[in-house]
Amino acid sequence: MILTLPAFLYGRQLALQWNETGAKMTVQKIAAFSDGETGGNPAGVMIADTFPDDAEMQRIAADIGFSETAFAVPNDTGWRVRYFSPESEVPFCGHATIALGAALALQHGDGIFALALNQANITVEGKKNGNVIAAALQSPSTRSKSAPPELTRAAMDLFGYGEADLDPHIPPAIAHGGADHLVLALSSRKALANMKYDLNAGRILMNHAGLVTILLAYAETPQLFHTRNPFASGGIYEDPATGAATAAFAGYLRDIGWPHGGVIDIVQGEDMGMRSRLRAEIPAAPGSSIRVSGTARIM
């Protein structure tokens, strides 16, 4: 059994944990993509000499209770990283990567850190600025394809949306930027604010389709989007900030020739009282990495 208690060490809130052999471990709690010193998406970060076993990492993630916890150990070129939600391992998590970049900057100083994921190699940058840390990740390569009509229909039924609720300029798609996300662009901010669904039905749909999240987006302008990210596949009703989905979405906008001007800003989490801000920089080369940046705050 894992026991937890809050403690403050070096100005950072940690969860102290003991594994089954009695060895002490620490998990830092950091909110990524914060809106200044508020909001953001909480993530757990454990930096250790070796990974706990898979079952123990899953228990730790469930015990912490955030949508993801990142586990990092040193390797020959930087850091080997794995991500666990409370219910499963995921191949890539943007906000936990930003939180990890902040933790590495606190531990090792400002820098760019090489990360080896399960299926890709990326980097994260961290730079301290008082209690707020600026961080940016370079995503895995991106790709997208049209969403199968039956999946689109099932997702619309899940949320209670009709055809009039969809933005015809951004067709439904499966976008990939380290993991697969279904993109549904909505025609109004009201439709986005009214998002609701059954968590178990969402879990079944996402797991069956191999989706990590469903990204719901409303374009206020060509470069400013409001988004929401149901994450039922991980047992989480909604994420307040989702870097992986933002990278995938930015890559999809590039694929369809959206007039992004090289950068988009995302406001997420405001409908759940956790306003978060993300920026995606979009190079011209098809499929190339997306730079997703924001700030992180120590919880």
Side-chain angles (χ1 to χ4, degrees):
M1 180 178 69
I2 296 175
L3 304 175
T4 66
L5 58 95
F8 286 89
L9 182 64
Y10 305 120
R12 303 191 290 277
Q13 186 179 357
L14 310 176
L16 296 185
Q17 308 221 2
W18 286 262
N19 64 18
E20 293 176 348
T21 67
K24 186 174 73 173
M25 303 174 291
T26 57
V27 179
Q28 300 177 62
K29 297 180 177 181
I30 300 174
F33 299 117
S34 58
D35 185 14
E37 295 189 1
T38 62
N41 193 358
V45 177
M46 176 178 283
I47 301 172
D49 293 331
T50 60
F51 286 124
D53 65 36
D54 287 11
E56 192 164 340
M57 286 191 283
Q58 187 65 75
R59 287 195 300 269
I60 291 169
D63 186 70
I64 294 298
F66 295 154
S67 57
E68 269 100 5
T69 294
F71 297 85
V73 301
N75 64 10
D76 292 340
T77 58
W79 302 88
R80 175 72 174 93
V81 184
R82 296 176 67 182
Y83 307 92
F84 283 80
S85 77
E87 293 191 359
S88 61
E89 183 173 7
V90 296
F92 173 57
C93 173
H95 86 275
T97 300
I98 292 293
L100 174 59
L104 290 171
L106 288 170
Q107 187 177 100
H108 298 282
D110 298 350
I112 299 174
F113 307 96
L115 308 181
L117 314 185
N118 285 359
Q119 300 171 6
N121 294 315
I122 65 170
T123 62
V124 67
E125 180 178 357
K127 184 176 182 180
K128 300 184 294 296
N129 183 15
N131 291 328
V132 175
I133 304 98
L137 64 85
Q138 287 293 153
S139 78
S141 60
T142 66
R143 61 179 183 269
S144 63
K145 61 183 180 181
S146 297
E150 62 274 15
L151 176 59
T152 299
R153 182 72 262 167
M156 292 172 64
D157 289 345
L158 176 70
F159 298 111
Y161 290 138
E163 291 292 337
D165 292 310
L166 297 184
D167 183 344
H169 301 100
I170 307 175
I174 295 176
H176 181 92
D180 283 346
H181 308 266
L182 175 65
V183 174
L184 292 180
L186 303 177
S187 59
S188 71
R189 182 67 182 84
K190 181 179 179 180
L192 185 68
N194 290 340
M195 185 275 287
K196 60 182 179 179
Y197 73 103
D198 178 80
L199 180 63
N200 189 55
R203 179 190 290 111
I204 292 170
L205 174 63
M206 292 185 204
N207 288 339
H208 178 74
L211 302 172
V212 174
T213 76
I214 296 175
L215 183 145
L216 305 173
Y218 166 69
E220 180 176 329
T221 74
Q223 292 182 293
L224 176 60
F225 292 83
H226 299 262
T227 65
R228 302 184 74 170
N229 270 94
F231 182 32
S233 68
I236 304 296
Y237 188 81
E238 180 179 4
D239 249 352
T242 317
T246 294
F249 181 53
Y252 172 52
L253 293 177
R254 175 174 58 196
D255 291 345
I256 63 173
W258 182 262
H260 52 73
V263 63
I264 60 170
D265 289 301
I266 300 278
V267 177
Q268 188 179 336
E270 56 192 344
D271 293 305
M272 54 189 299
M274 298 178 69
R275 181 180 167 93
S276 306
R277 297 190 65 89
L278 307 88
R279 168 162 283 204
E281 297 171 50
I282 310 171
S288 60
S289 172
I290 303 294
R291 177 181 168 90
V292 181
S293 60
T295 58
R297 61 181 179 87
I298 310 307
M299 297 176 63

